[in-house]
Amino acid sequence: MTDVFDRWKFDGVFHFAALSLVGESMQQPLRYIRENVSNTMLLAELAVNAGCLRFVLSSTAALFGYPDSIPIREDAPLRPVSAYGESKLMAERGLEWADRVHGLKSACLRYFNAAGADHLGRIGEAHNPETHLIPLAIKAALGTGPGLKIFGTDYDTPDGTCIRDYIHVTDLADAHLRSWTVSMPVAACVTTSVLAMAILCGR
Ligand SMILES: NC(=O)c1ccc[n+]([C@@H]2O[C@H](COP(=O)([O-])OP(=O)(O)OC[C@H]3O[C@@H](n4cnc5c(N)ncnc54)[C@H](O)[C@@H]3O)[C@@H](O)[C@H]2O)c1
């Protein structure tokens, strides 16, 4: 990355790379914190040294842990319950210091579940390993993957399964561009239960 910053001049950084599996983070918390925090700080440091003073971080709704109320307010307490969430919180805090001391202006977008495909079909969901509900449900419906397992059926929700918020990738891409120019919260989520989503996907 040092070579990249030496060779080109950038207006700012969009930082998407991370270790991002919540379950894995609870097996390897130190690796998650090391990777996600130190690599974000390294990138921020390179940006500052290059005079590139805008930074957008892929953060996560996992910062809020188990919120006191729904919908979650942006100023709700930050209480991550996974090492993954903690690593993003630490990265956000590091960026605050980079602003205070070096003037690195950052926006940390706390995504819920990113979902969907580009409307022209140019990109879609393809994780390896696949852990996301919608692709797993579609694969199950097509018979190209194993049957869908629903974890937890006794939540205090209308159908007993966990309720999640989904944001379409196109809205998310738009939010990134807006965060570049304006400092404002962006909300464009759809809320649904795991069971309802599985049924919507045909499984
Ligand atoms: N997908 C979601 O629903 C969601 C929700 C909240 C936050 N996020 C965040 O958004 C970002 C992108 O998520 P995603 O779903 O595309 O995740 P992903 O795991 O599919 O993609 C992350 C990519 O980062 C790469 N990476 C990790 N460490 C790296 C390193 N040191 N150097 C170079 N590349 C590295 C991985 O190889 C992977 O390709 C992540 O920061 C994630 O934490 C995603």
Side-chain angles (χ1 to χ4, degrees):
M1 291 306 291
T2 309
D3 286 347
V4 171
F5 278 93
D6 282 346
R7 285 176 66 182
W8 287 288
K9 182 152 177 54
F10 298 102
D11 295 326
V13 173
F14 286 97
H15 179 35
F16 299 99
L19 299 180
S20 61
L21 302 179
V22 174
E24 187 179 70
S25 82
M26 298 305 279
Q27 293 158 347
Q28 303 171 10
L30 301 181
R31 176 174 167 242
Y32 265 67
I33 290 170
R34 170 172 52 80
E35 286 280 331
N36 289 349
V37 181
S38 64
N39 288 336
T40 303
M41 293 305 97
L42 197 58
L43 194 52
E45 201 175 349
L46 288 170
V48 165
N49 290 344
C52 158
L53 294 177
R54 284 199 289 188
F55 199 100
V56 179
L57 174 71
S58 295
S59 190
T60 171
L63 259 61
F64 297 110
Y66 301 114
D68 298 327
S69 60
I70 304 280
I72 305 171
R73 288 175 52 92
E74 200 173 353
D75 57 1
L78 302 176
R79 294 181 301 227
V81 293
S82 66
Y84 165 67
E86 186 67 43
S87 72
K88 293 283 184 170
L89 178 55
M90 291 166 84
E92 284 199 13
R93 289 197 170 139
L95 290 175
E96 280 170 30
W97 284 102
D99 181 15
R100 281 197 213 178
V101 178
H102 301 296
L104 178 71
K105 297 296 169 204
S106 58
C108 301
L109 302 183
R110 295 170 182 164
Y111 319 160
F112 288 82
N113 295 277
D118 166 60
H119 69 287
L120 296 176
R122 290 171 297 195
I123 54 163
E125 292 201 51
H127 306 97
N128 188 14
E130 188 54 81
T131 57
H132 292 232
L133 177 62
I134 297 174
L136 288 175
I138 292 173
K139 281 183 182 169
L142 292 174
T144 56
L148 186 71
K149 281 191 195 147
I150 293 181
F151 300 106
T153 53
D154 58 355
Y155 287 90
D156 182 18
T157 60
D159 64 25
T161 66
C162 181
I163 285 185
R164 299 213 166 251
D165 280 335
Y166 296 88
I167 181 161
H168 195 277
V169 280
T170 304
D171 292 329
L172 197 51
D174 183 50
H176 282 80
L177 292 178
R178 286 168 193 249
S179 71
W180 197 247
T181 48
V182 283
S183 175
M184 58 182 276
V186 184
C189 277
V190 174
T191 303
T192 186
S193 77
V194 172
L195 180 62
M197 181 58 87
I199 292 168
L200 276 174
C201 293
R203 197 72 192 168

